[in-house]
Amino acid sequence: MNFVLTSLLSAGLPALFAGVLWFLGGRFHRAHLWLSAVAVGGGMMLAYYLALGKPAFPTTDAQEWVFWYALGLIPLGWLMGIAAPYRWIAGWGLVLALPWLFVWLFVPLMRSEHWSLTVGMTWILVFGVGLAAMALGVASAEARLTGWQMAFLLALVGGVSAGMMFYGAKSSSFAQLAGALGLVVGIAVPVGWGMRSFRVGQGAVAMLVVLYGILWAIGFAYGQLQAPYLAVFALCMLAIALGARGASGWRFVVPLLLILLIGGGAVGMSYQTYMSASTGYE
Amino acid sequence: MKQSMYRALSALAMLALLGSSLPLQAQGVTYRIDPVHSTVLFRVKHMNTAFVYGRFNSFMGTIVVNERNPAQSSVVLEIDLNSVDTGNSQRDDHLRGPDFFNTRQFPKATFRSTRVRKLNDTTIEVQGNLTLRGVTKPLTLRVTFTGKGRNPRGQEIIGFETTFTLKRSEFGVNYGLNGGLSDEVRLTVSVEAIRQ
């Protein structure tokens, strides 16, 4: 089969799968929290399978955790959706759980002596605690935006992530995964546009932030993404979390402009660097 | 009397020397792979159209040759995957990254023989385990003995070559399998090793 066509299918099928679940979640409000968590986690798992094949368990390759984390996050995302009114439970849950995700992800780099124990532990804490704060901040902004607006902003972050994975981290497969995750949530935009009552859900939003964060972490730790570029992801998340607290007319526009400016600028810079060093390799 | 004692001591010394060399022969002779005069090449098909070749510039290993008992011979080869060289720096970076070798987690590929069998004067069958990207798979190689001699320093050298094909998907290197790059990768390993 054509290479481009198969690549498009590997991103399109997860989006289609998620689209059906977003639609059902919009229709059946009782099952919404569960369906939205499955849309994100299942969409990511499908994207991984189509891009990289079936992962091993127990994993030998740290990157395979992306698949298993997407699976494990489904019940956690659902629970977080339920616990949303009790923010301190969700908050402490994330702060305590997330560093452990990065332990599994980063320990192989300490074993291979790419990182010293101190450096590895530092990054585990930075990513774990930082991502917990971002997931909480963006999830709490969910109630202040309409369903399609939140989906649109998170899809835009997917686009930025895909660009950074490709031009910054130099990983086509992780660019594909980030792009697919963007499409998984992006497909919720027309669903939300058509259904006023549609919401992404705080649990699903937190899942998306964590999954994006894991992709950026892999791009940095295993790929060639430079550490300063990690700030781009943090700023995009901050833009959504803080922007949504502004006046109602600006809640969507401000984060949108900031993501376009910061994320788009970073992708543009990475593209320039990539192309200036181009050797004709495709 | 003095002369006969001297002869006896000389004979004892000769016997001791002979005795010490006998276990060495039984254990085999160890050779260290000389990376300067050795090559590890690979080829992969791009877009189902043409073969692209690459090589690894850094590797090390030892060969133990036991001519009396070839089954006691062994090979260990350790390849530094960061040294991949396809003549294009961007492609080499991509190969080192998460899509292919993931060298930050798995910087080396290793082959360790488990069984060596002499097929004829120039051909040896080597069974062993190849570990790549954290996955270990058994591999059987038909190795050709290419020669033996001395290098300009007077050291004894020995040469072997083998060509074999493996499926990269079996080692978890799955990126680009859907038509971009072939699953089959052919490797040619040609080594010159110096007696230790």
Side-chain angles (χ1 to χ4, degrees):
Chain A
M1 199 188 284
N2 181 286
F3 180 66
V4 179
L5 188 66
T6 50
S7 299
L8 283 173
L9 270 179
S10 62
L13 282 177
L16 194 67
F17 164 81
V20 172
L21 294 178
W22 290 125
F23 178 78
L24 291 174
R27 285 270 180 186
F28 307 107
H29 290 282
R30 280 187 181 177
H32 167 247
L33 292 176
W34 175 244
L35 287 170
S36 58
V38 176
V40 175
M44 185 62 166
M45 288 166 72
L46 190 56
Y48 186 101
Y49 177 76
L50 292 169
L52 292 165
K54 190 181 158 203
F57 190 84
T59 61
T60 44
D61 197 313
Q63 297 165 49
E64 290 169 330
W65 283 117
V66 172
F67 181 91
W68 300 114
Y69 284 176
L71 176 66
L73 282 171
I74 293 174
L76 290 178
W78 174 56
L79 283 173
M80 191 171 162
I82 293 170
Y86 313 99
R87 200 174 296 164
W88 65 273
I89 298 179
W92 277 107
L94 278 172
V95 169
L96 293 173
L98 282 184
W100 287 103
L101 298 190
F102 290 97
V103 168
W104 299 117
L105 209 57
F106 290 164
V107 156
L109 292 177
M110 292 181 255
R111 285 208 184 116
S112 70
E113 294 176 357
H114 175 69
W115 279 346
S116 68
L117 187 66
T118 317
V119 171
M121 290 305 291
T122 306
W123 283 118
I124 285 167
L125 285 174
V126 167
F127 275 103
V129 177
L131 205 53
M134 288 177 219
L136 271 178
V138 178
S140 65
E142 197 261 355
R144 295 166 184 269
L145 294 163
T146 63
W148 76 264
Q149 285 176 336
M150 179 51 97
F152 191 93
L153 292 176
L154 287 171
L156 202 59
V157 172
V160 171
S161 303
M164 290 309 299
M165 289 301 118
F166 191 83
Y167 295 115
K170 315 247 180 359
S171 168
S172 307
S173 58
F174 281 85
Q176 202 172 322
L177 288 182
L181 194 58
L183 279 176
V184 159
V185 63
I187 199 96
V189 174
V191 176
W193 195 268
M195 278 190 262
R196 288 275 175 198
S197 60
F198 173 81
R199 306 221 59 84
V200 177
Q202 289 203 18
V205 168
M207 282 175 76
L208 282 158
V209 174
V210 170
L211 287 171
Y212 280 138
I214 287 170
L215 292 179
W216 281 69
I218 290 177
F220 162 68
Y222 291 90
Q224 293 176 45
L225 191 69
Q226 301 297 308
Y229 279 113
L230 293 172
V232 172
F233 178 69
L235 287 171
C236 288
M237 295 295 106
L238 202 66
I240 300 174
L242 295 182
R245 291 175 192 278
S248 60
W250 296 95
R251 282 177 190 172
F252 173 65
V253 179
V254 169
L256 175 72
L257 291 176
L258 284 172
I259 293 171
L260 284 175
L261 189 73
I262 299 163
V267 173
M269 276 170 63
S270 295
Y271 173 78
Q272 287 287 338
T273 312
Y274 183 86
M275 292 312 284
S276 64
S278 178
T279 56
Y281 172 62
E282 289 170 2
Chain B
M1 180 68 182
K2 254 187 181 179
Q3 207 170 10
S4 61
M5 259 186 78
Y6 178 75
R7 275 181 189 162
L9 279 171
S10 300
L12 272 171
M14 287 292 283
L15 271 172
L17 270 173
L18 206 64
S20 65
S21 71
L22 274 174
L24 200 69
Q25 288 292 328
Q27 285 168 5
V29 181
T30 303
Y31 294 84
R32 182 178 47 80
I33 291 172
D34 174 11
V36 178
H37 299 101
S38 303
T39 310
V40 179
L41 278 176
F42 64 88
R43 77 168 203 194
V44 64
K45 205 165 196 180
H46 178 240
M47 295 289 178
N48 209 23
T49 305
F51 290 109
V52 177
Y53 284 79
R55 56 181 286 160
F56 294 99
N57 293 326
S58 175
F59 48 87
M60 56 193 279
T62 52
I63 302 169
V64 176
V65 179
N66 192 319
E67 287 184 26
R68 281 189 185 178
N69 185 5
Q72 295 293 313
S73 300
S74 63
V75 187
V76 176
L77 177 66
E78 203 172 70
I79 299 168
D80 176 5
L81 297 174
N82 277 308
S83 71
V84 66
D85 180 0
T86 62
N88 183 299
S89 58
Q90 275 188 322
R91 179 165 54 206
D92 296 344
D93 282 345
H94 194 197
L95 286 171
R96 289 183 196 105
D99 290 346
F100 292 97
F101 296 134
N102 187 14
T103 58
R104 290 195 179 171
Q105 185 179 353
F106 306 109
K108 289 187 173 96
T110 311
F111 177 80
R112 276 178 202 283
S113 68
T114 51
R115 187 165 177 256
V116 177
R117 193 161 65 98
K118 189 175 175 178
L119 300 179
N120 58 47
D121 283 351
T122 56
T123 314
I124 307 143
E125 185 186 84
V126 179
Q127 291 178 12
N129 292 316
L130 176 69
T131 303
L132 175 65
R133 206 171 158 146
V135 179
T136 302
K137 293 274 177 192
L139 203 65
T140 302
L141 314 174
R142 279 177 80 89
V143 181
T144 306
F145 171 67
T146 52
K148 196 171 183 179
R150 287 192 180 274
N151 66 13
R153 291 184 182 179
Q155 296 164 305
E156 190 183 312
I157 52 174
I158 196 164
F160 297 97
E161 186 173 285
T162 182
T163 296
F164 58 98
T165 302
L166 55 85
K167 285 193 172 194
R168 63 189 176 96
S169 60
E170 291 181 353
F171 295 89
V173 188
N174 294 325
Y175 176 74
L177 281 176
N178 50 3
L181 293 169
S182 63
D183 192 8
E184 288 81 17
V185 181
R186 197 175 81 176
L187 284 104
T188 297
V189 180
S190 177
V191 296
E192 183 175 297
I194 304 166
R195 184 172 177 165
Q196 297 303 289

